[in-house]
Amino acid sequence: MCFQGIPTQGKGEGSVQGRVKYCLQPTQLPGALFRPHQVHRLDAGTGGLVLIAKTRAAVAALGTDLAAHNMQKRYLALVIGRLDGDGIVNYPLQGKTAISIYSAVQHCQSESYGWLTWVSLWPKTGRNHQLRKHMAYIGHPILGDMQYKHHRKPDCKAVPVADAQLHVPQLHDLIIEVLPEQQARMAAAAQAAAMEAAIGLLHEQGLGQQDQQQPKLKVDTQQQQQQQHHSRKVDS
């Protein structure tokens, strides 16, 4: 089941800002805020982690790191078409430099769209709707993005690179140890959640219209066949 997200900012309990007070208790540390407060926002329709600060010092420090791009943000998106390899999109937005990095993760065939591609995306700059615009401009709009899906720009080109990770800022101050089997489960869960969100978005935008049909994916059914075979053996 896919649930409608809520705005990050806003008054009342219909936003993260209004609900966080019920989820986190204030701290007793010096400089404590009256209630925990988020230090950044997410675009509507985007799910992910939100940083919450409990002290004025934390608000200042996290805000400084965000402004200086000391934090690495990675997005997982499902885009229309087959996008291969890694690449960089360097195309100005709002009259300012805008750079996005992508890496194709997985491909699947779709009866509605031909191909769909899972991509990891890193915004090296922080322009408004940057990733959505850059993907649409190179001819691979994010699935369900009705605002920019027809905004391809012939002069916007992706430059292929051998390894996107070489162009992504690396964080050395924060080390999180995760076992390989945990990494696999986390990656699978993230992809499943992203697919569920994409399908839910299509339903919200009018499933059944010619250009908004739910994608019918042709995926590997070996596991399903094995489960069916096991079920038949049990029944017999």
Side-chain angles (χ1 to χ4, degrees):
M1 182 175 294
C2 181
F3 294 93
Q4 175 71 33
I6 62 175
T8 308
Q9 296 175 312
K11 297 181 179 180
E13 298 180 6
S15 68
V16 172
Q17 185 175 357
R19 295 187 184 186
V20 70
K21 61 184 178 182
Y22 301 111
C23 302
L24 297 174
Q25 295 294 324
T27 181
Q28 300 300 318
L29 293 174
L33 298 172
F34 175 70
R35 62 183 58 163
H37 182 75
Q38 81 277 3
V39 295
H40 66 101
R41 57 179 294 276
L42 294 175
D43 285 342
T46 301
L49 300 177
V50 177
L51 295 175
I52 306 293
K54 290 188 174 185
T55 66
R56 288 187 290 273
V59 171
L62 291 171
T64 299
D65 282 342
L66 284 168
H69 303 289
N70 291 332
M71 298 184 186
Q72 176 181 301
K73 296 180 181 180
R74 182 178 75 97
Y75 294 80
L76 182 65
L78 190 62
V79 301
I80 296 175
R82 186 179 180 99
L83 181 62
D84 294 301
D86 298 1
I88 298 176
V89 181
N90 188 342
Y91 192 86
L93 300 174
Q94 294 94 47
K96 300 179 180 179
T97 300
I99 302 173
S100 301
I101 303 169
Y102 69 83
S103 177
V105 177
Q106 185 178 352
H107 305 90
C108 53
Q109 288 184 293
S110 164
E111 294 181 6
S112 300
Y113 301 98
W115 284 95
L116 296 172
T117 304
W118 286 111
V119 292
S120 290
L121 299 169
W122 295 269
K124 206 167 183 179
T125 52
R127 310 305 173 209
N128 188 42
H129 296 173
Q130 176 178 312
L131 297 178
R132 294 168 58 190
K133 290 178 179 179
H134 276 173
M135 289 295 99
Y137 290 175
I138 65 172
H140 296 281
I142 294 175
L143 183 65
D145 187 353
M146 307 306 296
Q147 184 173 355
Y148 297 110
K149 74 171 188 175
H150 297 304
H151 287 210
R152 182 169 185 175
K153 293 185 179 294
D155 60 332
C156 181
K157 304 292 184 181
V159 178
V161 296
D163 185 357
Q165 289 290 338
L166 298 178
H167 302 269
V168 176
Q170 300 298 312
L171 301 181
H172 302 288
D173 296 332
L174 177 61
I175 301 176
I176 302 177
E177 295 184 0
V178 181
L179 297 176
E181 57 269 24
Q182 292 176 321
Q183 291 180 342
R185 289 197 298 268
M186 291 167 62
Q191 290 195 1
M195 171 61 81
E196 186 177 9
I199 299 304
L201 182 59
L202 290 179
H203 278 282
E204 292 174 6
Q205 294 179 342
L207 182 64
Q209 298 182 21
Q210 183 174 359
D211 61 346
Q212 299 178 24
Q213 294 180 355
Q214 178 176 341
K216 303 178 180 64
L217 303 181
K218 299 177 180 178
V219 298
D220 186 4
T221 59
Q222 181 179 1
Q223 183 177 3
Q224 297 177 1
Q225 293 172 353
Q226 290 176 350
Q227 292 175 347
Q228 293 173 357
H229 178 70
H230 177 72
S231 177
R232 287 196 297 269
K233 288 178 64 179
V234 173
D235 293 340
S236 60

